[in-house]
């Protein structure tokens, strides 16, 4: 999956100083959006489509405590039960910080909190008996706690899970997402701004607040890929679910946008061009099309030259690799003219995505997938 997207004044992904992230490529500075930033908003979109949310969090013991307290448990017993969830997660238990959260991020279905609370409710008497002991042993059944923490959603199967502290919980994600970067040289710009105090007196002057912020603008190249074989494996061979997940991920790859500073910049653009390919051998990023930074066209824009550079480089890649490992490729975008090197032209992104998914995971025609 490849996309060319023009983004106006924005700060989609900030570094530790609040500046837009950057990368030096082709001996020039580019504005960059990290893969984690774009992947997170895509994950949330997929979860919303499928109606099964997951949470990447250190707050599991705290959420269990809150759930039990809403059910009428005293606070000390509910807090102890939450801590026991961590202590019973494996033979050694998961370490807890002073604030009550785990020392590592867990990634589990949101429904897992209610399931963990239900286990605690079943064993309330045992928890009450262990409450107050200096070094209480793990009370909850390890196998049941582990099973809940290891459970997967479609988004976990798609994007993976890394948790060394819980053997068997790791999931090799089927999707890979690259850092987006501008196709041309680009630098952050500073914005001096003020906020007016609406209740200043007539004789008062000045502003209620003033500061500076940084933003950037540019045309981004974006790339992601999904290993369909791995996705099917993670979904235990459910091709119907895999089609749904793949289509949802492709749609949110095209249509999503990181949410940082959206209220103050509203940079809600969509890609000018999307190019999708289905390959049987290995994915091919076209990022090298922009190792030499794009120059603006005569009118001053980078979007058109970026689309042209992508198509030209794709033609060279296809000449070198041939077509035998590519069962589909196609594109859709703002240009009415087709790009010959980018496969068939489609009138909409949804049409393009459907054609790619149908090739990658064809329907069986018997009511199943």
């Amino acid at each position: 999956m490849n996309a060319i997207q023009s983004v106006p004044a924005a700060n989609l992904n900030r570094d530790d100083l609040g500046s837009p992230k950057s990368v030096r490529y082709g001996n020039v500075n580019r504005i960059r959006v990290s893969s984690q930033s774009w992947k997170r908003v895509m994950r949330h979109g997929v979860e919303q489509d499928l109606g099964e949310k997951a949470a990447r969090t250190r707050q599991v013991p705290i959420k269990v405590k809150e759930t039990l307290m809403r059910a009428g448990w005293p606070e000390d017993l509910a807090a102890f039960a939450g801590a026991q969830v961590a202590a019973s997660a494996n033979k050694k238990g998961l370490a807890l910080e002073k604030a009550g959260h785990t020392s590592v991020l867990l990634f589990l279905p949101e429904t897992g909190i209610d399931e963990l609370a239900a286990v605690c409710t079943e064993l309330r008497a045992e928890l009450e008996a262990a409450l107050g002991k200096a070094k209480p042993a793990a009370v909850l059944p390890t196998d049941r706690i582990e099973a809940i923490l290891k459970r997967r959603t479609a988004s976990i199967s798609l994007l993976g899970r890394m948790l060394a502290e819980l053997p068997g919980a790791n999931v090799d994600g089927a999707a890979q997402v690259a850092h987006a970067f501008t196709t041309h040289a680009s630098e952050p710009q500073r914005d001096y701004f003020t906020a007016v105090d609406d209740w200043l007196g007539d004789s008062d002057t000045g502003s209620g607040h003033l500061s500076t912020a940084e933003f950037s603008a540019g045309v981004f190249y974006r790339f992601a890929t999904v290993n369909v074989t791995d996705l099917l494996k993670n979904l235990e061979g459910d091709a119907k679910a895999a089609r749904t997940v793949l289509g949802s991920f492709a749609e949110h790859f095209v249509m999503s946008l990181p949410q940082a500073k959206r209220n103050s910049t509203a940079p809600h653009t969509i890609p000018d061009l999307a190019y999708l390919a289905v390959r049987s051998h290995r994915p091919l990023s076209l990022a090298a099309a922009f190792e030499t930074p794009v120059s603006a066209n005569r009118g001053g824009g980078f979007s058109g030259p970026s689309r042209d550079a992508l198509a030209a480089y794709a033609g060279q890649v296809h000449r070198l690799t041939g077509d035998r490992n590519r069962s589909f490729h196609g594109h859709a975008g703002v240009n009415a003219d087709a790009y010959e090197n980018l496969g068939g032209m489609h009138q909409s992104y949804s049409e393009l995505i459907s054609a790619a998914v149908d090739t990658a995971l064809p329907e069986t025609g018997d009511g199943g997938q």
Side-chain angles (χ1 to χ4, degrees):
M1 303 176 192
N2 304 262
I4 299 294
Q5 184 165 354
S6 177
V7 179
N11 191 347
L12 298 181
N13 190 207
R14 290 166 278 181
D15 64 16
D16 57 332
L17 300 177
S19 301
K21 289 186 177 180
S22 62
V23 63
R24 191 165 183 83
Y25 184 49
N27 203 35
V28 298
N29 290 332
R30 321 286 185 104
I31 300 300
R32 173 177 62 90
V33 179
S34 72
S35 58
Q36 297 93 329
S37 174
W38 224 305
K39 189 187 299 184
R40 186 171 190 271
V41 69
M42 286 190 281
R43 172 171 71 87
H44 287 167
V46 170
E47 290 174 348
Q48 183 172 352
D49 286 349
L50 302 181
E52 51 173 28
K53 293 186 177 181
R56 191 186 305 273
T57 181
R58 298 166 65 191
Q59 307 296 317
V60 167
I62 296 171
K63 292 298 181 182
V64 170
K65 168 190 169 183
E66 292 172 351
T67 300
L68 293 173
M69 287 181 64
R70 286 195 296 271
W73 285 45
E75 183 175 358
D76 59 344
L77 182 60
F80 179 67
Q84 277 290 308
V85 166
S88 304
N90 56 38
K91 292 181 179 179
K92 295 183 179 179
L94 299 176
L96 286 180
E97 304 289 345
K98 288 183 178 180
H101 51 66
T102 56
S103 59
V104 296
L105 278 167
L106 301 173
F107 192 14
L108 73 162
E110 285 190 354
T111 55
I113 299 300
D114 288 336
E115 295 176 32
L116 291 167
V119 174
C120 294
T121 300
E122 289 181 33
L123 295 161
R124 178 168 179 166
E126 288 83 350
L127 290 167
E128 289 175 333
L131 178 64
K133 291 184 179 180
K135 293 183 179 180
V139 172
L140 305 176
T142 298
D143 56 344
R144 294 179 64 184
I145 300 300
E146 279 194 4
I148 295 169
L149 296 179
K150 291 178 181 179
R151 195 158 297 144
R152 304 179 185 181
T153 61
S155 65
I156 293 173
S157 296
L158 176 70
L159 297 169
R161 175 172 59 198
M162 173 67 177
L163 187 58
E165 289 78 4
L166 200 60
N170 289 350
V171 179
D172 291 329
Q176 300 174 8
V177 180
H179 293 244
F181 63 90
T182 52
T183 62
H184 52 88
S186 185
E187 299 280 355
Q189 301 173 57
R190 296 183 69 81
D191 174 34
Y192 171 82
F193 67 92
T194 64
V196 176
D197 187 330
D198 289 333
W199 285 359
L200 280 177
D202 293 338
S203 61
D204 295 325
T205 60
S207 62
H209 174 77
L210 58 87
S211 187
T212 58
E214 292 193 26
F215 64 91
S216 64
V219 176
F220 287 84
Y221 170 73
R222 300 171 49 213
F223 175 76
T225 183
V226 177
N227 186 313
V228 175
T229 301
D230 287 348
L231 180 61
L232 279 168
K233 178 182 176 182
N234 289 347
L235 292 172
E236 299 181 338
D238 189 341
K240 183 177 181 180
R243 274 179 59 91
T244 301
V245 172
L246 183 59
S248 178
F249 179 75
E251 179 178 353
H252 289 287
F253 169 79
V254 173
M255 300 301 291
S256 65
L257 199 69
Q259 301 298 295
K261 285 189 172 288
R262 64 177 179 176
N263 287 357
S264 57
T265 59
H268 298 299
T269 60
I270 62 172
D272 297 331
L273 174 68
Y275 169 59
L276 305 186
V278 178
R279 304 179 189 278
S280 58
H281 182 50
R282 52 155 287 185
L284 290 176
S285 168
L286 301 179
F290 309 107
E291 197 271 341
T292 298
V294 167
S295 298
N297 62 19
R298 185 172 299 178
F302 291 104
S303 293
S306 296
R307 297 192 298 270
D308 293 343
L310 182 75
Y313 184 76
Q316 299 303 319
V317 169
H318 297 158
R319 175 180 60 82
L320 292 169
T321 61
D323 299 334
R324 61 192 178 96
N325 293 315
R326 190 188 67 231
S327 54
F328 169 87
H329 71 146
H331 68 282
V334 296
N335 266 18
D337 298 327
Y339 290 99
E340 181 180 351
N341 294 332
L342 301 182
M345 180 180 176
H346 299 261
Q347 291 301 311
S348 68
Y349 290 139
S350 60
E351 180 185 309
L352 171 64
I353 291 167
S354 293
V357 171
D358 285 343
T359 304
L361 285 165
E363 296 185 74
T364 63
D366 60 0
Q369 306 290 336

Short mmCIF file of all heavy atoms in Angstrom, two decimals, residues 249-293:
data_model
loop_
_atom_site.label_atom_id
_atom_site.label_comp_id
_atom_site.label_asym_id
_atom_site.label_seq_id
_atom_site.Cartn_x
_atom_site.Cartn_y
_atom_site.Cartn_z
N PHE A 249 -8.26 -2.42 7.26
CA PHE A 249 -6.94 -1.84 7.42
C PHE A 249 -6.56 -1.00 6.20
O PHE A 249 -6.02 0.11 6.34
CB PHE A 249 -5.90 -2.94 7.63
CG PHE A 249 -4.50 -2.44 7.78
CD1 PHE A 249 -4.08 -1.85 8.96
CD2 PHE A 249 -3.58 -2.55 6.74
CE1 PHE A 249 -2.77 -1.37 9.11
CE2 PHE A 249 -2.29 -2.08 6.88
CZ PHE A 249 -1.88 -1.49 8.06
N ALA A 250 -6.85 -1.50 5.00
CA ALA A 250 -6.53 -0.75 3.79
C ALA A 250 -7.29 0.57 3.75
O ALA A 250 -6.73 1.62 3.39
CB ALA A 250 -6.85 -1.59 2.55
N GLU A 251 -8.56 0.54 4.15
CA GLU A 251 -9.35 1.77 4.15
C GLU A 251 -8.78 2.79 5.13
O GLU A 251 -8.67 3.98 4.82
CB GLU A 251 -10.81 1.47 4.50
CG GLU A 251 -11.67 2.73 4.53
CD GLU A 251 -13.13 2.45 4.82
OE1 GLU A 251 -13.51 1.26 4.87
OE2 GLU A 251 -13.88 3.42 5.02
N HIS A 252 -8.39 2.33 6.31
CA HIS A 252 -7.88 3.27 7.30
C HIS A 252 -6.44 3.69 6.99
O HIS A 252 -6.01 4.77 7.41
CB HIS A 252 -8.02 2.69 8.70
CG HIS A 252 -9.44 2.65 9.15
ND1 HIS A 252 -10.13 3.78 9.51
CD2 HIS A 252 -10.32 1.61 9.27
CE1 HIS A 252 -11.37 3.45 9.85
NE2 HIS A 252 -11.51 2.15 9.70
N PHE A 253 -5.70 2.86 6.27
CA PHE A 253 -4.41 3.33 5.77
C PHE A 253 -4.61 4.54 4.86
O PHE A 253 -3.89 5.54 4.96
CB PHE A 253 -3.69 2.22 4.99
CG PHE A 253 -2.49 2.71 4.23
CD1 PHE A 253 -1.28 2.93 4.88
CD2 PHE A 253 -2.56 2.97 2.87
CE1 PHE A 253 -0.17 3.40 4.20
CE2 PHE A 253 -1.46 3.46 2.16
CZ PHE A 253 -0.25 3.67 2.84
N VAL A 254 -5.59 4.47 3.99
CA VAL A 254 -5.84 5.56 3.05
C VAL A 254 -6.46 6.77 3.74
O VAL A 254 -6.04 7.91 3.52
CB VAL A 254 -6.74 5.07 1.89
CG1 VAL A 254 -7.15 6.24 1.00
CG2 VAL A 254 -6.01 4.01 1.06
N MET A 255 -7.44 6.54 4.60
CA MET A 255 -8.29 7.64 5.06
C MET A 255 -7.93 8.19 6.44
O MET A 255 -8.46 9.23 6.83
CB MET A 255 -9.74 7.18 5.09
CG MET A 255 -10.28 6.76 3.73
SD MET A 255 -10.20 8.05 2.47
CE MET A 255 -11.43 9.20 3.10
N SER A 256 -7.06 7.55 7.19
CA SER A 256 -6.79 8.01 8.56
C SER A 256 -5.77 9.13 8.58
O SER A 256 -5.04 9.36 7.61
CB SER A 256 -6.29 6.84 9.41
OG SER A 256 -5.03 6.39 8.94
N LEU A 257 -5.71 9.80 9.71
CA LEU A 257 -4.75 10.88 9.93
C LEU A 257 -4.47 10.97 11.42
O LEU A 257 -5.40 10.96 12.23
CB LEU A 257 -5.33 12.21 9.43
CG LEU A 257 -4.35 13.34 9.15
CD1 LEU A 257 -3.48 13.03 7.94
CD2 LEU A 257 -5.12 14.64 8.92
N PRO A 258 -3.20 11.01 11.84
CA PRO A 258 -2.91 11.20 13.26
C PRO A 258 -3.62 12.43 13.82
O PRO A 258 -3.82 13.42 13.09
CB PRO A 258 -1.39 11.36 13.29
CG PRO A 258 -0.92 10.60 12.09
CD PRO A 258 -1.97 10.84 11.05
N GLN A 259 -3.97 12.37 15.09
CA GLN A 259 -4.88 13.37 15.66
C GLN A 259 -4.20 14.52 16.39
O GLN A 259 -4.89 15.38 16.94
CB GLN A 259 -5.84 12.66 16.61
CG GLN A 259 -6.68 11.58 15.93
CD GLN A 259 -7.57 12.15 14.85
OE1 GLN A 259 -8.48 12.91 15.13
NE2 GLN A 259 -7.30 11.78 13.60
N ALA A 260 -2.87 14.55 16.41
CA ALA A 260 -2.19 15.60 17.17
C ALA A 260 -2.54 16.99 16.64
O ALA A 260 -2.53 17.23 15.43
CB ALA A 260 -0.67 15.39 17.10
N LYS A 261 -2.88 17.88 17.55
CA LYS A 261 -3.20 19.28 17.26
C LYS A 261 -4.29 19.44 16.20
O LYS A 261 -4.33 20.44 15.48
CB LYS A 261 -1.93 20.04 16.83
CG LYS A 261 -0.99 20.35 18.01
CD LYS A 261 0.13 21.28 17.57
CE LYS A 261 0.95 21.74 18.77
NZ LYS A 261 0.22 22.71 19.60
N ARG A 262 -5.20 18.50 16.12
CA ARG A 262 -6.21 18.59 15.07
C ARG A 262 -7.16 19.77 15.30
O ARG A 262 -7.65 20.37 14.33
CB ARG A 262 -7.02 17.30 14.99
CG ARG A 262 -7.83 16.97 16.24
CD ARG A 262 -8.66 15.72 16.06
NE ARG A 262 -9.42 15.41 17.27
CZ ARG A 262 -10.28 14.42 17.36
NH1 ARG A 262 -10.49 13.64 16.32
NH2 ARG A 262 -10.93 14.19 18.49
N ASN A 263 -7.42 20.15 16.55
CA ASN A 263 -8.34 21.26 16.80
C ASN A 263 -7.76 22.59 16.38
O ASN A 263 -8.49 23.52 16.02
CB ASN A 263 -8.72 21.32 18.29
CG ASN A 263 -9.66 20.20 18.68
OD1 ASN A 263 -10.08 19.42 17.84
ND2 ASN A 263 -10.00 20.12 19.95
N SER A 264 -6.44 22.72 16.41
CA SER A 264 -5.83 24.00 16.06
C SER A 264 -5.30 24.05 14.63
O SER A 264 -4.87 25.11 14.17
CB SER A 264 -4.69 24.32 17.04
OG SER A 264 -3.72 23.29 17.03
N THR A 265 -5.32 22.89 13.93
CA THR A 265 -4.81 22.89 12.54
C THR A 265 -5.79 22.28 11.54
O THR A 265 -5.74 22.62 10.36
CB THR A 265 -3.48 22.13 12.45
OG1 THR A 265 -3.67 20.78 12.89
CG2 THR A 265 -2.41 22.81 13.30
N ALA A 266 -6.65 21.39 11.97
CA ALA A 266 -7.66 20.75 11.10
C ALA A 266 -7.08 20.34 9.74
O ALA A 266 -7.61 20.71 8.70
CB ALA A 266 -8.85 21.69 10.91
N PRO A 267 -6.03 19.51 9.73
CA PRO A 267 -5.38 19.17 8.46
C PRO A 267 -6.01 17.94 7.78
O PRO A 267 -5.33 16.96 7.46
CB PRO A 267 -3.95 18.86 8.91
CG PRO A 267 -4.13 18.22 10.24
CD PRO A 267 -5.34 18.88 10.87
N HIS A 268 -7.32 17.98 7.58
CA HIS A 268 -8.06 16.77 7.21
C HIS A 268 -8.04 16.52 5.70
O HIS A 268 -9.08 16.54 5.03
CB HIS A 268 -9.49 16.85 7.74
CG HIS A 268 -9.56 16.94 9.23
ND1 HIS A 268 -9.07 15.95 10.06
CD2 HIS A 268 -10.04 17.91 10.05
CE1 HIS A 268 -9.27 16.29 11.32
NE2 HIS A 268 -9.85 17.48 11.35
N THR A 269 -6.87 16.27 5.16
CA THR A 269 -6.75 15.93 3.75
C THR A 269 -6.82 14.41 3.56
O THR A 269 -6.75 13.65 4.53
CB THR A 269 -5.41 16.42 3.19
OG1 THR A 269 -4.34 15.79 3.92
CG2 THR A 269 -5.28 17.93 3.32
N ILE A 270 -6.97 13.99 2.33
CA ILE A 270 -6.85 12.58 1.97
C ILE A 270 -5.74 12.47 0.92
O ILE A 270 -5.32 13.48 0.34
CB ILE A 270 -8.17 12.00 1.42
CG1 ILE A 270 -8.59 12.71 0.13
CG2 ILE A 270 -9.27 12.09 2.47
CD1 ILE A 270 -9.78 12.06 -0.57
N PRO A 271 -5.23 11.28 0.67
CA PRO A 271 -4.16 11.14 -0.31
C PRO A 271 -4.58 11.62 -1.70
O PRO A 271 -5.74 11.46 -2.11
CB PRO A 271 -3.86 9.64 -0.31
CG PRO A 271 -4.29 9.17 1.05
CD PRO A 271 -5.49 10.00 1.38
N ASP A 272 -3.63 12.20 -2.42
CA ASP A 272 -3.84 12.55 -3.82
C ASP A 272 -3.76 11.31 -4.71
O ASP A 272 -4.31 11.30 -5.82
CB ASP A 272 -2.77 13.55 -4.29
CG ASP A 272 -2.84 14.85 -3.54
OD1 ASP A 272 -3.94 15.23 -3.10
OD2 ASP A 272 -1.79 15.52 -3.41
N LEU A 273 -3.05 10.29 -4.22
CA LEU A 273 -2.84 9.07 -5.00
C LEU A 273 -2.64 7.90 -4.05
O LEU A 273 -1.91 8.02 -3.06
CB LEU A 273 -1.61 9.22 -5.90
CG LEU A 273 -1.15 7.98 -6.68
CD1 LEU A 273 -2.16 7.62 -7.76
CD2 LEU A 273 0.23 8.21 -7.28
N ALA A 274 -3.31 6.79 -4.33
CA ALA A 274 -3.06 5.54 -3.61
C ALA A 274 -2.75 4.46 -4.65
O ALA A 274 -3.41 4.38 -5.69
CB ALA A 274 -4.27 5.13 -2.78
N TYR A 275 -1.74 3.67 -4.35
CA TYR A 275 -1.32 2.57 -5.24
C TYR A 275 -1.23 1.31 -4.41
O TYR A 275 -0.49 1.26 -3.43
CB TYR A 275 0.02 2.91 -5.88
CG TYR A 275 0.68 1.74 -6.61
CD1 TYR A 275 0.03 1.11 -7.66
CD2 TYR A 275 1.94 1.29 -6.23
CE1 TYR A 275 0.63 0.04 -8.33
CE2 TYR A 275 2.55 0.21 -6.89
CZ TYR A 275 1.89 -0.40 -7.93
OH TYR A 275 2.46 -1.46 -8.58
N LEU A 276 -2.00 0.28 -4.78
CA LEU A 276 -2.02 -0.98 -4.06
C LEU A 276 -1.53 -2.10 -4.96
O LEU A 276 -1.84 -2.11 -6.16
CB LEU A 276 -3.43 -1.32 -3.57
CG LEU A 276 -4.17 -0.28 -2.71
CD1 LEU A 276 -5.48 -0.86 -2.21
CD2 LEU A 276 -3.31 0.20 -1.55
N ALA A 277 -0.79 -3.02 -4.38
CA ALA A 277 -0.30 -4.17 -5.13
C ALA A 277 -0.43 -5.42 -4.27
O ALA A 277 -0.30 -5.36 -3.05
CB ALA A 277 1.15 -3.96 -5.55
N VAL A 278 -0.70 -6.55 -4.93
CA VAL A 278 -0.75 -7.85 -4.27
C VAL A 278 0.39 -8.67 -4.85
O VAL A 278 0.45 -8.90 -6.06
CB VAL A 278 -2.10 -8.56 -4.51
CG1 VAL A 278 -2.10 -9.94 -3.85
CG2 VAL A 278 -3.25 -7.71 -3.99
N ARG A 279 1.30 -9.09 -3.96
CA ARG A 279 2.48 -9.82 -4.40
C ARG A 279 2.57 -11.15 -3.66
O ARG A 279 2.19 -11.25 -2.50
CB ARG A 279 3.76 -9.00 -4.15
CG ARG A 279 3.74 -7.62 -4.79
CD ARG A 279 5.02 -6.84 -4.49
NE ARG A 279 4.91 -5.47 -4.92
CZ ARG A 279 5.13 -5.05 -6.18
NH1 ARG A 279 5.47 -5.94 -7.09
NH2 ARG A 279 5.00 -3.79 -6.50
N SER A 280 3.14 -12.12 -4.33
CA SER A 280 3.27 -13.44 -3.72
C SER A 280 4.67 -13.69 -3.17
O SER A 280 4.90 -14.70 -2.50
CB SER A 280 2.94 -14.53 -4.75
OG SER A 280 3.81 -14.43 -5.88
N HIS A 281 5.60 -12.80 -3.45
CA HIS A 281 6.99 -13.04 -3.03
C HIS A 281 7.39 -12.19 -1.84
O HIS A 281 7.63 -12.70 -0.75
CB HIS A 281 7.92 -12.79 -4.21
CG HIS A 281 9.37 -13.06 -3.91
ND1 HIS A 281 9.80 -14.23 -3.33
CD2 HIS A 281 10.49 -12.30 -4.09
CE1 HIS A 281 11.11 -14.20 -3.18
NE2 HIS A 281 11.55 -13.03 -3.62
N ARG A 282 7.41 -10.89 -2.01
CA ARG A 282 7.80 -9.99 -0.92
C ARG A 282 7.24 -8.61 -1.23
O ARG A 282 7.00 -8.26 -2.38
CB ARG A 282 9.32 -9.91 -0.77
CG ARG A 282 10.07 -9.57 -2.05
CD ARG A 282 11.40 -8.92 -1.79
NE ARG A 282 11.24 -7.55 -1.33
CZ ARG A 282 12.26 -6.71 -1.12
NH1 ARG A 282 13.50 -7.12 -1.29
NH2 ARG A 282 12.04 -5.47 -0.71
N PRO A 283 7.00 -7.81 -0.20
CA PRO A 283 6.52 -6.45 -0.45
C PRO A 283 7.61 -5.58 -1.05
O PRO A 283 8.81 -5.84 -0.86
CB PRO A 283 6.11 -5.95 0.94
CG PRO A 283 6.94 -6.76 1.89
CD PRO A 283 7.13 -8.10 1.25
N LEU A 284 7.20 -4.56 -1.77
CA LEU A 284 8.14 -3.63 -2.38
C LEU A 284 7.74 -2.20 -2.04
O LEU A 284 6.72 -1.70 -2.51
CB LEU A 284 8.18 -3.79 -3.91
CG LEU A 284 8.81 -5.07 -4.46
CD1 LEU A 284 8.67 -5.12 -5.97
CD2 LEU A 284 10.28 -5.14 -4.06
N SER A 285 8.53 -1.56 -1.20
CA SER A 285 8.33 -0.14 -0.92
C SER A 285 8.90 0.68 -2.08
O SER A 285 9.92 0.31 -2.68
CB SER A 285 9.05 0.24 0.39
OG SER A 285 9.11 1.64 0.53
N LEU A 286 8.25 1.78 -2.38
CA LEU A 286 8.72 2.69 -3.43
C LEU A 286 9.32 3.95 -2.83
O LEU A 286 9.43 4.98 -3.50
CB LEU A 286 7.56 3.04 -4.36
CG LEU A 286 6.91 1.83 -5.06
CD1 LEU A 286 5.75 2.30 -5.94
CD2 LEU A 286 7.93 1.06 -5.89
N ALA A 287 9.75 3.87 -1.57
CA ALA A 287 10.29 5.05 -0.89
C ALA A 287 11.51 5.62 -1.60
O ALA A 287 11.74 6.84 -1.59
CB ALA A 287 10.66 4.69 0.55
N ALA A 288 12.29 4.74 -2.25
CA ALA A 288 13.51 5.21 -2.90
C ALA A 288 13.21 6.14 -4.07
O ALA A 288 14.13 6.81 -4.57
CB ALA A 288 14.34 4.02 -3.38
N ALA A 289 11.96 6.22 -4.50
CA ALA A 289 11.60 7.19 -5.54
C ALA A 289 11.90 8.61 -5.09
O ALA A 289 12.07 9.51 -5.93
CB ALA A 289 10.11 7.05 -5.87
N PHE A 290 12.00 8.81 -3.78
CA PHE A 290 12.15 10.15 -3.24
C PHE A 290 13.49 10.35 -2.52
O PHE A 290 13.66 11.32 -1.79
CB PHE A 290 10.98 10.46 -2.31
CG PHE A 290 9.66 10.18 -2.96
CD1 PHE A 290 8.90 9.07 -2.59
CD2 PHE A 290 9.20 10.98 -3.99
CE1 PHE A 290 7.70 8.79 -3.21
CE2 PHE A 290 8.00 10.71 -4.63
CZ PHE A 290 7.24 9.61 -4.23
N GLU A 291 14.43 9.42 -2.74
CA GLU A 291 15.76 9.62 -2.17
C GLU A 291 16.37 10.90 -2.73
O GLU A 291 17.00 11.68 -2.00
CB GLU A 291 16.63 8.40 -2.48
CG GLU A 291 17.88 8.31 -1.62
CD GLU A 291 19.08 9.04 -2.22
OE1 GLU A 291 19.06 9.32 -3.44
OE2 GLU A 291 20.03 9.35 -1.47
N THR A 292 16.17 11.15 -4.02
CA THR A 292 16.44 12.47 -4.58
C THR A 292 15.21 13.31 -4.33
O THR A 292 14.13 12.99 -4.83
CB THR A 292 16.72 12.39 -6.09
OG1 THR A 292 17.87 11.59 -6.31
CG2 THR A 292 16.95 13.78 -6.67
N PRO A 293 15.31 14.38 -3.55
CA PRO A 293 14.11 15.13 -3.19
C PRO A 293 13.42 15.72 -4.41
O PRO A 293 14.07 16.17 -5.36
CB PRO A 293 14.63 16.23 -2.25
CG PRO A 293 16.09 16.32 -2.54
CD PRO A 293 16.53 14.95 -2.94
#
